[in-house]
Amino acid sequence: MGYFVRVEPHVKIFVEDIHPAGKRTILFIHGWPLSNRAFEYQFNVLPAQGYRCIGIDLRGFGESDKPWDGYRLDRMADDVRAVVDALGLRDFILAGHSYGGATAIRYMARHQGHGVAKLALFAAAAPSVTRRPGFPYGQPKEAVSELIEQTYNDRPNMLFNLENTFFFQHLSKPFSDWVRQIEYAASGNATAKVAASFRDESLFADLGKIEVPTLILHGIHDKVCYPELAAAQHEGIKRSRLVWFQYSGHGLFYEERDKFNRELVKFIEDPNTHIYAEPNN
């Protein structure tokens, strides 16, 4: 069931709500430059196991409105809060991929984890996608600036080339075409401005404000958000557990989808998730 939630007077966010009578609610936030449709291989499986799956399209992406402004983490987190309040969500699992993971982290810090029981981060764009003093693990800022320039000059070609770094495993051509169709639904303006957001913004101070049990899933071959980012998240979030995906790049929710879904369900159902051992290998 799809519907829209107004988050500002002239901005509506698209929400896909699957199995509203589910036993637990998982709110998914997609990454750049995708939409909630990227979680098809979770939405095909988890509702059958009794979970309510809610996917939102961030502003500028998918079926949401595409205003000229508002493509910073604070505004994205506020949009999520508006959806949470409109739907009356409580005791839910907040799950974010890539820039959606960064948005989820900012939500936890900015809105004090309002309504969230547990947090799941996968290939999250945090604490910084780009290199900074004291944090040499990200991409050069110039590389992201080049993505932005390519977006303004030839966005289809930029997205075609992005696929080479997004996935580790071989993809069929029809699947690749499907992914790009999802990406084409974004506005070029939003694509560029969100890239500027993850180039320029960081979340070092946000990590320590997360109080809920947190699952971190990350592919060891990720060339977008490097594995060192996951290690930094695990170090910065007190109640976190890190699970590595040995055969995945940035698209682990598809590349190792069975393991991904199992780990997510295990985390949701485990009553002892506040007690964590050292990271899995």
Side-chain angles (χ1 to χ4, degrees), residues 4-15 56-57 59 64-65 67 75-76 78-84 86:
F4 290 89
V5 171
R6 190 176 301 278
V7 297
E8 287 189 296
H10 303 293
V11 180
K12 299 187 298 297
I13 294 296
F14 180 76
V15 176
I56 67 173
D57 288 350
R59 63 170 58 207
S64 288
D65 285 346
R75 181 63 255 178
M76 295 295 193
D78 291 350
D79 288 352
V80 174
R81 174 63 186 264
V83 172
V84 168

Side-chain angles (χ1 to χ4, degrees), residues 192-255:
K193 287 184 174 177
V194 167
S197 172
F198 64 70
R199 179 194 62 190
D200 299 336
E201 296 194 75
S202 66
L203 298 109
F204 293 97
D206 300 68
L207 298 179
K209 299 176 182 179
I210 297 172
E211 301 291 341
V212 302
T214 301
L215 177 67
I216 300 166
L217 307 178
H218 213 100
I220 66 170
H221 303 284
D222 197 328
K223 296 180 180 179
V224 178
C225 295
Y226 298 149
E228 289 86 355
L229 274 64
Q233 294 162 31
H234 179 59
E235 182 178 354
I237 300 173
K238 294 183 289 291
R239 303 166 65 186
S240 64
R241 179 170 182 256
L242 171 57
V243 179
W244 294 112
F245 282 61
Q246 301 291 329
Y247 307 104
S248 292
H250 198 54
L252 69 166
F253 56 92
Y254 174 75
E255 294 182 275

Side-chain angles (χ1 to χ4, degrees), residues 129-150:
V129 173
T130 53
R131 298 171 188 169
R132 298 171 184 273
F135 191 77
Y137 308 112
Q139 300 185 30
K141 283 193 173 184
E142 295 78 10
V144 183
S145 296
E146 178 64 22
L147 279 179
I148 295 170
E149 183 177 350
Q150 291 173 10

